[in-house]
Amino acid sequence: METAPLAVAIPLLGAGGLAAVATRLGRAGAEAVALAAAVAVTALCVALLVRTGSGLEVYWFGGWEPRAGTAIGVSFAVDAIGAGLATLVSALMIAALVMMWRYRETEAPHFQILMLLFLAGMVGFCLSGDLFNLFVFFELMSVSAFALTGIDIDEGAALEGSLNFAVTNTIGSFLAVIGIALVYARTGALNIAQAGHVLDNGHVDGLVVVALAFLACGFLVKAAVVPFHLWLADAYAVAPAAICIVLAGAMSELGVLGVVRIVFGAFGGPVAEHADAVRTVLVVAGLTTAVLGAVMAYAQDHLKRMLAFVTIGHVGLFLAGAGMLSSAGVGAIAVYVVADGCTKAALFACVGIVQRRLGHVSESALRGAGRGLRWTGAAFVIAALVSTGLPLTGPFLGKALLDDALVHGVGSWAVAIAIGATVLTGATLLRAAGCVFAGWGVDESGREPGYEPIYEPQPTTP
């Protein structure tokens, strides 16, 4: 079972090695090391997924196994969902590194070091079976993401977006760590399974409720669920498109995974006693997020902000599925997250190509300018259609499973809201594709000369 710690150790060692030889290693060498580490992690995560497809495997660091039912060490608890999500994030990291290899807009090896730390944090979060380590890995991931978002320090907008990202997520971190402290105060344990066992057999009082609320809010901030969503659009609008591939495809989804872990792992018993109330809160928050994300995406002219709000909308659907508090709901979002993550990665990659070739990411300013990017336009349209749940695609299967869980869990009204939000986001993406790649629509009159859309870098020489 040493495979699990290796999946985290390899990117950490790679980052440390790159930092040690930073002054003697060229760009090509740094890119090769980072890409090789990401490929190795992906292979290890695939092996973990194959081994844990039908069960749970636990790795105790240093051989510190439980004694008399008490966990005295730190563990990785690897299940199919954790291993599957770790595989997704590592595969998306490969795509991001390949994209940045082509454009080379960042200074090596700093970018590669941050990307490897980002990867280590995400994989560690997916595999951790300990509440405090869950927090530590999420913080490693978050700090790396802050730096990557503002990596273009010459751009004031990049620094502003990164600062907004950092401040808001730091508040979420404070909430999460307070919740962890309260859980430890009540149970004397940080291991998720042991804390869950104590809470299952104990009395549910105000302290337990407050601990769950703090933990849930902390992870929902990082997932950008309404009303904690305000940081995401600003961050995605200024981050390089390759970094957005990983941010949109995996990071927000990990916030939902954190909620699933604490609700089903540590607080399974208390939540079961008040299942209807918890279900109502999570489903309403999820559907509200889905609707707001869809409406705000429709109102955007900036393509990356548009995709950011599409991401928020889809995260809302994932939270609604988790809010079913059932294996059907969790299974539905497991399928949906993987399929949707790949789709959003493709959309951000297409926008990155447009930004690189044309120098803008404003829908109105680019009207018809993308006619020469036929393959990019075709890929964007296909990804937009797939994101709406095109039959015989991954999002279609995930959405169908989610709709079925919502019908049986809360009723058909929830399905109607989810379908409406999905249709609106799909229409928004197709509108953008028609405008940029086909020149559809009518130019707005009265635009001032010298108009420059916000958050748009000028073209650079490859």
Side-chain angles (χ1 to χ4, degrees):
M1 192 56 185
E2 288 75 13
T3 306
L6 278 176
V8 177
I10 287 176
L12 290 176
L13 291 174
L18 286 177
V21 298
T23 59
R24 297 185 294 275
L25 189 66
R27 176 182 293 276
E31 290 172 337
V33 170
L35 187 58
V39 170
V41 172
T42 303
L44 291 172
C45 291
V46 169
L48 285 173
L49 180 59
V50 171
R51 286 166 49 177
T52 59
S54 58
L56 174 72
E57 290 194 23
V58 180
Y59 176 85
W60 293 95
F61 285 87
W64 289 84
E65 298 184 358
R67 298 291 187 273
T70 301
I72 56 177
V74 176
S75 69
F76 272 173
V78 187
D79 56 13
I81 292 179
L85 197 50
T87 303
L88 172 65
V89 300
S90 54
L92 292 179
M93 182 61 71
I94 292 176
L97 289 170
V98 169
M99 186 174 181
M100 291 306 291
W101 193 322
R102 169 64 180 85
Y103 293 126
R104 302 191 172 193
E105 295 175 332
T106 57
E107 183 180 352
H110 306 96
F111 172 78
Q112 288 76 18
I113 292 172
L114 289 171
M115 290 293 270
L116 289 178
L117 292 175
F118 193 24
L119 176 60
M122 289 189 293
V123 173
F125 182 85
C126 292
L127 305 182
S128 181
D130 182 272
L131 275 174
F132 189 74
N133 275 2
L134 208 67
F135 168 77
V136 169
F137 282 121
F138 216 131
E139 286 311 290
L140 175 62
M141 170 180 34
S142 298
V143 171
S144 304
F146 304 156
L148 287 167
T149 300
I151 198 165
D152 189 1
I153 59 174
D154 295 329
E155 294 288 336
L159 294 179
E160 183 180 348
S162 178
L163 182 61
N164 188 6
F165 186 4
V167 170
T168 307
N169 278 261
T170 300
I171 294 173
S173 300
F174 279 126
L175 296 176
V177 78
I178 291 172
I180 292 171
L182 293 177
V183 171
Y184 184 73
R186 173 47 54 91
T187 66
L190 292 173
N191 181 271
I192 294 176
Q194 183 180 341
H197 177 73
V198 174
L199 291 175
D200 287 349
N201 295 282
H203 173 66
V204 178
D205 58 7
L207 180 63
V208 175
V209 174
V210 171
L212 174 59
F214 272 115
L215 276 167
C217 287
F219 287 122
L220 291 180
V221 168
K222 296 178 180 296
V225 170
V226 173
F228 311 118
H229 66 289
L230 300 177
W231 63 268
L232 188 141
D234 290 341
Y236 286 20
V238 299
I243 297 171
C244 289
I245 288 176
V246 186
L247 289 175
M251 184 173 177
S252 294
E253 286 78 354
L254 292 184
V256 178
L257 175 64
V259 174
V260 171
R261 282 280 181 85
I262 62 171
V263 167
F264 287 89
F267 292 89
V271 167
E273 295 182 19
H274 306 276
D276 290 339
V278 175
R279 184 181 297 111
T280 299
V281 170
L282 293 180
V283 171
V284 169
L287 294 179
T288 301
T289 301
V291 172
L292 181 63
V295 172
M296 290 300 296
Y298 184 80
Q300 300 304 308
D301 180 71
H302 190 282
L303 294 178
K304 288 170 73 175
R305 292 180 69 87
M306 179 187 298
L307 292 180
F309 281 109
V310 169
T311 300
I312 291 174
H314 288 167
V315 166
L317 295 179
F318 304 151
L319 181 62
M324 292 298 95
L325 306 179
S326 65
S327 57
V330 174
I333 65 170
V335 175
Y336 203 175
V337 162
V338 173
D340 183 71
C342 295
T343 304
K344 286 204 294 287
L347 290 168
F348 268 108
C350 291
V351 171
I353 293 172
V354 170
Q355 184 178 22
R356 179 69 181 187
R357 297 290 182 85
L358 304 177
H360 290 292
V361 284
S362 168
E363 181 182 336
S364 57
L366 289 170
R367 189 180 306 278
R371 287 192 177 96
L373 303 176
R374 293 185 178 89
W375 292 110
T376 303
F380 191 95
V381 170
I382 292 172
L385 290 172
V386 169
S387 72
T388 64
L390 192 69
L392 303 180
T393 63
F396 172 79
L397 176 59
K399 187 66 169 57
L401 292 173
L402 176 61
D403 290 345
D404 184 68
L406 289 174
V407 167
H408 290 89
V410 293
S412 56
W413 62 269
V415 176
I417 294 175
I419 291 175
T422 304
V423 169
L424 183 56
T425 55
T428 299
L429 295 173
L430 292 174
R431 181 201 69 191
C435 177
V436 174
F437 300 106
W440 293 353
V442 179
D443 288 332
E444 297 179 5
S445 60
R447 188 178 298 285
E448 296 180 3
Y451 165 78
E452 289 291 341
I454 60 172
Y455 298 135
E456 295 174 3
Q458 298 302 312
T460 56
T461 302

